[in-house]
Amino acid sequence: MEKKISEEKNERSLNFLEEIIEKDLRNNINEGRVHTRFPPEPNGYLHIGHAKSICLNFGLGKKYNGKTNLRFDDTNPVKEDVEYVDSIMEDVRWLGFDWEDRLFYASDYFEQLYKYAVILIQKGKAYVCDMSAEEISETRGTPSRPGKESPYRTRSVEENLDLFTRMRAGEFPDGSKVLRAKINMASPNMHMRDPVLYRILHATHHRTGDKWCIYPMYDFAHGQSDSIERITHSICTLEFEVHRTLYDWLIREIGIYAPRQIEFARLNLSYTVMSKRKLLELVQQKKVNGWDDPRMPTICGLRRRGYTPESIRTFADIIGVAKRDNVIDMSLLEFCIREDLNKRSNRIMAILNPVKVIIDNFPEGRVEEMEAVNNPEDETKGKRHVPFSRELFIEREDFMEEPPKKFFRLFPGGEVRLRSAYILKCESVIKDLQKGEISEIHCTYDPETRSGMPQSNRKVKGTLHWVSVNHAVEAEVRLYDRLFSKENPDDAEEGKDFKDYLNPDSLKVCKGYLEPSVKNALPGEKFQFERLGYFIVDKDSTNDHLVFNRTVTLKDSWTRLEKNQ
RNA sequence: UGUCCGAUGGUGUAACUGGCAACACGACUGACUCUGGAUCAGUAGAGUCCAGGUUCGAACCCUGGUCGGACAACCA
């Protein structure tokens, strides 16, 4: 009994969407049905903000034993493309969600939508307007000043019907006429000031081809599409809150099923931008290398960066949902991927900034195979062999001639553990006077301290990773960091814009020396480079030119300590 | 000088719907460690935008402010 109580306490409390849904369920609003949808426009790539929405919609569907549709809101042929349709489906699937046989397109409903428009005209609730876009805009008024009624507002039902039919038939050029709802030009809600319902667009649609030359506006398609699909809960972002009045009006006037729209605050992430327009700008101006550049917050970018679907789902779960504006710390996303990869990725050793160590008392030409644990978090991942020889690379940062306090790494006279190998002592240093840097570190090793041997338990402060010089596999390593150096790049100073805050160090390419076990690693494979971070084999990688992307560094309490000193 | 929405540690989300503010990330200690990782233990940090009111009792309810956001595309 006590246990049950504590279990109940541990249960996560409901978010406001779940609360609304459960209330509707209790009141038997939709005969117990829960049906959601994810409705992207195929005009760009999905990003982490969409991932939040996808997880929300599909998650809710699953939680309440309901269904979730994938519907493309493809009402604007000039901006949309099958390229985006394909990438969106790939991304949703990759995230781990399944719309089963419920793949829909707003364009599937064009005929039905047209009939709805005719109903409105017949009821005297819509009219054909001949004003230009500029005139319509000028007469709309401002949020605090009412608009002016269109001179075409009083056309007869017959004339409107005739004109609308001819619009569809292609008798009029683009922009010459629109169909407008007849609501209220003085409404305090701008969206109720006779909004445009249909426009003439002689454009080829990616699905309907040239069948139509009039296309419904989003506002005339979205709500009705939800209605047609009998969506119970239309979950969308905050900016559509003001549109809800219009959707409700349309649905009431047409006389069809009314879904319930609920708005939530979109995701914002620190050190990046999330608007499609801005992401497109980065791509077009080649500030990044395409939509799937690993620095992009796009799903395909994150995938290429090495993020897992699980980590993104965890992230979506952990950030919660509410209606207030929010900026999530990038460090939370990083936490999610570290947590996931720590448990699942195998470890290897790689040196990214090498300095040579020569072990003077290790026989020349001798090679020992060291046994290394693949993943200390998961014994089932087994072990591998790593060749050890007289000449090794270690990281240049792991050696200091004059070490500060608490420096646990190598320094003259000091000892360190070489991971999965021997204890090493630094005897002397050879410097390249021209370059002013160390060229060789001469050491001795203690043969009794090989990992696993009785003497190997000797306490040494630090452990270094290493790679045998003669066995090292070279690779291109792309070190990624946050795309922007400003926490909120959108918040630009006078005369600047978000691009002025791009982090110049967001990508550094270096040559890495890796242990030979990764020689045949395939694109998509993930590893932890011990003490450095998590890395994924990039799609650019080939057999004779390995390429790795750094997903995220390991948590590093040393550089933090160093900074604070 | 419009309409709508929102306001809880640095960040995000909770608070069993009115019962002395919790969880996660982050930060900081320390233990442990053949990854300065992981793990474990712990600390600091908000008195809930402000002012009134209702109530035995308010983060939750009411009133009035303040601040922030959204809305004026033949975009979605």
Side-chain angles (χ1 to χ4, degrees), chain A residues 367-418:
Chain A
V367 177
E368 286 185 29
E369 291 292 331
M370 298 303 182
E371 196 171 61
V373 174
N374 282 332
N375 184 348
E377 305 291 318
D378 183 357
E379 273 191 39
T380 66
K381 293 292 165 76
K383 295 176 174 175
R384 70 186 186 286
H385 290 286
V386 186
F388 184 89
S389 68
R390 182 180 154 92
E391 294 193 6
L392 308 175
F393 284 134
I394 65 166
E395 299 290 348
R396 201 164 273 279
E397 301 85 75
D398 283 343
F399 178 83
M400 274 185 125
E401 269 193 289
E402 285 160 35
K405 259 182 223 149
K406 289 199 171 179
F407 183 80
F408 299 158
R409 285 114 97 141
L410 198 61
F411 53 86
E415 276 191 329
V416 288
R417 151 78 53 192
L418 289 179

Side-chain angles (χ1 to χ4, degrees), chain A residues 345-501:
Chain A
S345 62
N346 284 345
R347 271 85 225 220
I348 65 142
M349 291 193 283
I351 303 296
L352 302 185
N353 183 17
V355 63
K356 197 182 272 185
V357 164
I358 297 173
I359 309 171
D360 292 322
N361 62 340
F362 194 89
E364 237 165 296
R366 177 152 140 208
V367 177
E368 286 185 29
E369 291 292 331
M370 298 303 182
E371 196 171 61
V373 174
N374 282 332
N375 184 348
E377 305 291 318
D378 183 357
E379 273 191 39
T380 66
K381 293 292 165 76
K383 295 176 174 175
R384 70 186 186 286
H385 290 286
V386 186
F388 184 89
S389 68
R390 182 180 154 92
E391 294 193 6
L392 308 175
F393 284 134
I394 65 166
E395 299 290 348
R396 201 164 273 279
E397 301 85 75
D398 283 343
F399 178 83
M400 274 185 125
E401 269 193 289
E402 285 160 35
K405 259 182 223 149
K406 289 199 171 179
F407 183 80
F408 299 158
R409 285 114 97 141
L410 198 61
F411 53 86
E415 276 191 329
V416 288
R417 151 78 53 192
L418 289 179
R419 175 115 244 230
S420 310
Y422 296 98
I423 289 176
L424 191 75
K425 184 177 184 187
C426 171
E427 306 289 355
S428 62
V429 172
I430 295 178
K431 280 193 191 172
D432 182 328
L433 291 175
Q434 292 207 323
K435 284 191 196 164
E437 59 174 35
I438 291 158
S439 52
E440 283 178 6
I441 302 169
H442 282 263
C443 297
T444 52
Y445 83 115
D446 180 346
E448 303 298 310
T449 57
R450 179 171 168 156
S451 295
M453 286 177 130
Q455 289 296 310
S456 72
N457 287 330
R458 229 174 77 206
K459 291 278 169 263
V460 221
K461 265 290 191 190
T463 299
L464 306 188
H465 61 284
W466 52 273
V467 168
S468 165
V469 172
N470 285 327
H471 301 85
V473 173
E474 291 187 13
E476 176 182 335
V477 181
R478 300 174 181 168
L479 301 173
Y480 291 104
D481 200 353
R482 19 194 81 160
L483 225 202
F484 292 90
S485 47
K486 190 172 162 52
E487 189 167 330
N488 179 9
D490 291 325
D491 177 31
E493 294 169 52
E494 274 274 312
K496 291 192 173 187
D497 85 336
F498 72 104
K499 296 192 296 305
D500 292 312
Y501 303 104

Side-chain angles (χ1 to χ4, degrees), chain A residues 174-196:
Chain A
D174 286 5
S176 58
K177 285 180 167 46
V178 292
L179 182 73
R180 288 229 254 173
K182 192 191 282 187
I183 310 179
N184 176 9
M185 288 307 289
S187 170
N189 182 337
M190 297 293 293
H191 298 276
M192 299 299 272
R193 321 241 264 227
D194 290 11
V196 173

